[in-house]
Amino acid sequence: MAATTLLQTEALTVYDYRCSAGPDDVPFVERHQRHSVSYVRRGTFGYRYRGQTHELVAGAVLVGHRGDEYMCTHEHHACGDECLSFQLAPALVESELVDSIDDRDEAWRIGSLPPLPELMVLGELAQAVADGDSDVGVDEIGLLFAARFLEVASGRKRAPLRASPRDRRRAVDAALRIDANSHEANDLDGAARHADLSPFHFLRLFGNVVGVTPHQYLVRSRLRHAARLLADPARPITDIAFEVGFGDLSNFVRTFHRAAGVSPRRFRQLAQGDRKILQDRLNAVS
């Protein structure tokens, strides 16, 4: 089993699991260290838990309860399997994530859920986020996936968020802080602490008031600052990428192209009055 840590915060750890075990490998007992929901994106395997065997295929969700023992088997195929696993801190499970869901412990002990559209669409979005193809944060999609799992498993929808004037001010102040410091490292936990809110409540509140997630707003603030700087031909594009907060040039180029429809270099040419690029863009949207 190969495990890559994609994210580790106080509230959430996200792993990319890739298992190559097959029918000839002897299964062994393991123990869940945290409550978890793991999206199976490829392959198939068995999950023996609390006296039952669950057969998991692509699109299914493995559910882990902290402290419980389990065993994974690979009796049917030797193709291996891949999962995106969201491991939740106890405080997150026991408080803000559940809201009015009273039977949460029962939901965490169901073992698995079959491929369901309500979770598959978020699972694939989570994979796109992990691959860098979305500007949603890994921590954000992890919390949303876990919250949606609880709704589906318990059969109860979460109550709509009602933002008070004080909460709305918190969200606006958070947006101003993110924009002013968008060149620095920002994460959901830190932004939530500044707002004196739990990460999940902050995520819901920010999205309700601002209309995008905190990480989306962070990325878009960086893109906005980059677009202004690209108008100056004296500034190297690599320097701009790092100055506005992107960790590497390729991520900046990919994200900027996805937003603007052209590369940073072509955008700079457009800013310098290249009429052909402007006409091409106009023709593309006509």
Side-chain angles (χ1 to χ4, degrees):
M1 170 79 75
T4 302
T5 303
L6 302 181
L7 176 80
Q8 188 165 20
T9 68
E10 292 180 10
L12 179 73
T13 302
V14 183
Y15 293 108
D16 182 334
Y17 285 121
R18 297 170 186 252
C19 181
S20 59
D24 295 331
D25 292 287
V26 178
F28 55 92
V29 175
E30 301 177 75
R31 186 184 299 274
H32 290 294
Q33 300 302 312
R34 282 186 166 191
H35 286 68
S36 62
V37 281
S38 302
Y39 177 69
V40 183
R41 66 169 183 264
R42 178 180 176 273
T44 177
F45 61 98
Y47 177 56
R48 296 179 185 173
Y49 175 67
R50 294 174 66 85
Q52 295 184 338
T53 297
H54 306 256
E55 299 295 345
L56 301 179
V57 296
V61 175
L62 184 152
V63 183
H65 185 283
R66 181 166 60 101
D68 285 357
E69 293 183 345
Y70 69 97
M71 181 183 294
C72 289
T73 64
H74 304 81
E75 302 168 352
H76 305 301
H77 296 279
C79 60
D81 57 84
E82 299 177 3
C83 296
L84 197 60
S85 182
F86 303 99
Q87 312 270 330
L88 312 176
L92 183 65
V93 174
E94 295 164 4
S95 56
E96 65 269 16
L97 190 65
V98 298
D99 282 356
S100 60
I101 298 175
D102 298 325
D103 52 352
R104 56 184 181 271
D105 200 59
E106 182 180 344
W108 285 108
R109 281 198 160 106
I110 63 174
S112 72
L113 285 176
L116 299 173
E118 302 95 317
L119 292 171
M120 290 170 65
V121 292
L122 283 180
E124 292 303 321
L125 175 58
Q127 188 58 52
V129 171
D131 292 339
D133 295 329
S134 169
D135 58 2
V136 177
V138 176
D139 45 6
E140 294 172 346
I141 190 61
L143 293 184
L144 292 174
F145 189 84
R148 186 60 172 147
F149 151 73
L150 279 173
E151 289 182 342
V152 172
S154 67
R156 297 187 182 184
K157 288 190 175 181
R158 196 173 304 278
L161 179 66
R162 301 187 184 280
S164 67
R166 180 170 179 262
D167 283 339
R168 298 182 74 84
R169 276 197 308 276
R170 282 175 166 176
V172 171
D173 288 345
L176 293 173
R177 187 181 302 109
I178 290 172
D179 186 57
N181 300 282
S182 61
H183 58 289
E184 299 177 352
N186 282 266
D187 60 31
L188 184 61
D189 282 2
R193 278 195 299 270
H194 272 294
D196 197 25
L197 295 169
S198 68
F200 184 61
H201 186 66
F202 175 72
L203 176 60
R204 294 184 72 201
L205 175 65
F206 194 96
N208 181 278
V209 174
V210 181
V212 295
T213 72
H215 189 75
Q216 285 176 321
Y217 187 68
L218 170 66
V219 172
R220 294 169 195 190
S221 292
R222 289 172 175 171
L223 290 174
R224 182 167 59 83
H225 296 312
R228 178 66 62 87
L229 295 176
L230 284 168
D232 181 0
R235 286 177 176 263
I237 292 176
T238 300
D239 290 354
I240 290 174
F242 288 108
E243 183 176 340
V244 300
F246 284 91
D248 62 78
L249 180 61
S250 62
N251 183 31
F252 169 62
V253 171
R254 182 175 62 251
T255 305
F256 192 93
H257 194 288
R258 189 166 63 235
V262 294
S263 68
R265 181 181 63 82
R266 296 278 284 173
F267 184 86
R268 166 167 281 173
Q269 293 172 344
L270 172 61
Q272 297 303 308
D274 190 320
R275 297 179 62 85
K276 183 179 185 304
I277 296 177
L278 177 60
Q279 190 60 50
D280 288 345
R281 296 306 303 148
L282 290 173
N283 290 339
V285 298
S286 61

